[in-house]
Amino acid sequence: AQTVTQSQPEMSVQEAETVTLSCTYDTSENNYYLFWYKQPPSRQMILVIRQEAYKQQNATENRFSVNFQKAAKSFSLKISDSQLGDTAMYFCAFRHGGSQGNLIFGKGTKLSVKP
Amino acid sequence: EAGVAQSPRYKIIEKRQSVAFWCNPISGHATLYWYQQILGQGPKLLIQFQNNGVVDDSQLPKDRFSAERLKGVDSTLKIQPAKLEDSAVYLCASSLATGVLWYGYTFGSGTRLTVV
């Protein structure tokens, strides 16, 4: 069974600085997707970034980028120029490939951006 | 496009009572998911529907939880009778898939259930 591990329960960063959130996963599959979701107090899960396992290039979305190390089964999220609005829970998630499948989440990292 | 709608937003009940949650997915999304998120944890899948059929309900506590998706659109999740450990946020999500292609999830804002 697939598992997702986030080893940092809480992190903090000063506004405008850079922070990296860690995630490791375990799977025997070769075709899968990895995600980072943001969950603010409103509770809605917001997609931050998505990576297809077959793509060697790391995904980037504005200030958010990932370091995807397939062999090491590592998928870290880097947030550059942190903003107060980035304060939230961040969840790493795994989905196997194909048209059917559900998300398997880690336990989350609570990120606080300090002014 | 309209998002995934869920209601109610909050619910407080006493243990052993029953409760129902409602979800309206994005129009055209064939797949619907119910997740349970206990405080301090990541969401865990309870049940997955494809149209009005169940794809995966292996983690649904079937002695007390039930879910249906009539006509392959709206869905309801019911708990009867509720236990203290059912206190959690219940998230609904939907996704679009055609053939082997899959286009991502959209989540609702969830229902926060407190059992006292």
Side-chain angles (χ1 to χ4, degrees), chain A residues 39 42-44 99-101 103, chain B residues 33 35 37 99 105 107 110:
Chain A
Q39 188 179 41
S42 66
R43 302 199 300 262
Q44 187 163 18
S99 62
Q100 297 286 354
L103 287 169
Chain B
Y33 311 80
Y35 285 87
Q37 185 178 15
Y105 299 87
F107 283 84

Side-chain angles (χ1 to χ4, degrees), chain A residues 3-50:
Chain A
T3 58
V4 177
T5 302
Q6 294 179 250
S7 59
Q8 304 153 316
E10 292 191 41
M11 292 195 72
S12 64
V13 63
Q14 291 296 127
E15 194 175 8
E17 297 198 339
T18 296
V19 64
T20 299
L21 308 184
S22 301
C23 173
T24 58
Y25 59 95
D26 188 26
T27 183
S28 57
E29 298 182 10
N30 198 43
N31 180 25
Y32 53 88
Y33 302 86
L34 294 165
F35 306 83
W36 280 98
Y37 279 91
K38 171 184 178 181
Q39 188 179 41
S42 66
R43 302 199 300 262
Q44 187 163 18
M45 285 286 187
I46 301 166
L47 178 65
V48 174
I49 201 163
R50 158 181 168 163

Side-chain angles (χ1 to χ4, degrees), chain B residues 45-116:
Chain B
L45 180 73
L46 291 176
I47 189 166
Q48 176 184 346
F49 291 96
Q50 178 72 16
N51 296 310
N52 60 353
V54 175
V55 174
D56 184 354
D57 64 356
S58 58
Q59 298 189 85
L60 187 74
K62 298 180 185 65
D63 57 334
R64 298 184 300 105
F65 285 65
S66 64
E68 60 182 10
R69 190 182 184 197
L70 300 175
K71 301 180 182 179
V73 182
D74 293 9
S75 177
T76 55
L77 176 69
K78 297 179 182 178
I79 308 175
Q80 181 179 11
K83 293 185 175 181
L84 296 177
E85 59 260 35
D86 298 332
S87 294
V89 172
Y90 291 85
L91 292 166
C92 180
S94 67
S95 68
L96 175 66
T98 57
V100 297
L101 297 177
W102 170 77
Y103 300 96
Y105 299 87
T106 303
F107 283 84
S109 294
T111 296
R112 180 181 295 279
L113 173 68
T114 302
V115 182
V116 298

